[in-house]
Amino acid sequence: HKLWGMFPIRIFRYKVSFRTIRTHVLTDEELPRDNYKKALNMLFTAIRDAKCYVSHRYLGDANDFRITALNSNGDASMGESLKYKEQTKLYVQNPVSAESRLIYNGKQIGLSEGKNLEFNISEPGIYRIETYKDKKAWIFSNHIRIVA
């Protein structure tokens, strides 16, 4: 690319992004090492059901990241639904202390910093988390649906 047609610059290298962007797929059980077809089926099912999140590996290991919605009706993780009830909470477990933004129906409605965070959910909708480390995008969760 050229900046104003004069200066050659390299905006983003695909080689770098393929080495640093990770998709974390959450399965209910460990993938079998001796059954390739079952392992693939488990992976495809988890991805289809939105039980995954992405992270920028260069900013740190995100393997321990989790979000869970909880109320007296039960709990839900990424890709799942939970019936709304007053006092519904969304819990975030960051691998290390970081800034997490609560996104509701595509708009940021909350912000908190720490390793273990809690957000109050006041109405049904689609909720997800964006986590930033050193003001840089680090982890983007998939959604949890809070239904009426």
Side-chain angles (χ1 to χ4, degrees), residues 66-78 81-93 102 109 117-124 127-129 144-146:
R66 297 290 181 272
I67 64 169
T68 306
L70 181 68
N71 65 25
S72 60
N73 287 326
D75 62 63
S77 187
M78 281 177 264
S81 297
L82 179 66
K83 186 169 174 61
Y84 175 76
K85 201 163 200 178
E86 284 189 34
Q87 299 184 7
T88 298
K89 306 265 188 205
L90 185 85
Y91 296 95
V92 178
Q93 177 186 319
L102 177 62
I109 62 164
L117 307 172
E118 177 182 306
F119 293 97
N120 293 316
I121 303 300
S122 59
E123 61 185 307
Y127 292 86
R128 64 182 182 82
I129 293 292
I144 295 177
R145 284 188 170 89
I146 307 298

Side-chain angles (χ1 to χ4, degrees), residues 8-98:
I9 59 169
R10 192 164 288 203
I11 305 255
F12 195 72
R13 298 179 96 159
Y14 288 109
K15 209 183 252 189
V16 172
S17 70
F18 286 126
R19 282 191 218 144
T20 62
I21 303 301
R22 297 285 187 263
T23 301
H24 302 259
V25 181
L26 307 174
T27 59
D28 293 331
E29 58 187 80
E30 190 173 328
L31 296 176
R33 294 186 184 276
D34 60 345
N35 190 337
Y36 174 75
K37 287 186 180 186
K38 182 178 180 185
L40 272 179
N41 187 50
M42 289 171 64
L43 283 171
F44 291 148
T45 299
I47 292 168
R48 179 198 67 207
D49 294 343
K51 294 178 180 274
C52 52
Y53 60 96
V54 294
S55 72
H56 192 296
R57 177 78 170 120
Y58 181 76
L59 296 173
D61 183 2
N63 285 337
D64 293 331
F65 175 79
R66 297 290 181 272
I67 64 169
T68 306
L70 181 68
N71 65 25
S72 60
N73 287 326
D75 62 63
S77 187
M78 281 177 264
E80 298 177 341
S81 297
L82 179 66
K83 186 169 174 61
Y84 175 76
K85 201 163 200 178
E86 284 189 34
Q87 299 184 7
T88 298
K89 306 265 188 205
L90 185 85
Y91 296 95
V92 178
Q93 177 186 319
N94 287 318
V96 297
S97 185

Side-chain angles (χ1 to χ4, degrees), residues 59-61 64 93-100 114-116 131-133 138-139:
L59 296 173
D61 183 2
D64 293 331
Q93 177 186 319
N94 287 318
V96 297
S97 185
E99 177 185 278
S100 289
K115 185 173 179 181
N116 296 303
T131 296
Y132 290 75
K133 187 174 177 186
W138 180 27
I139 303 169

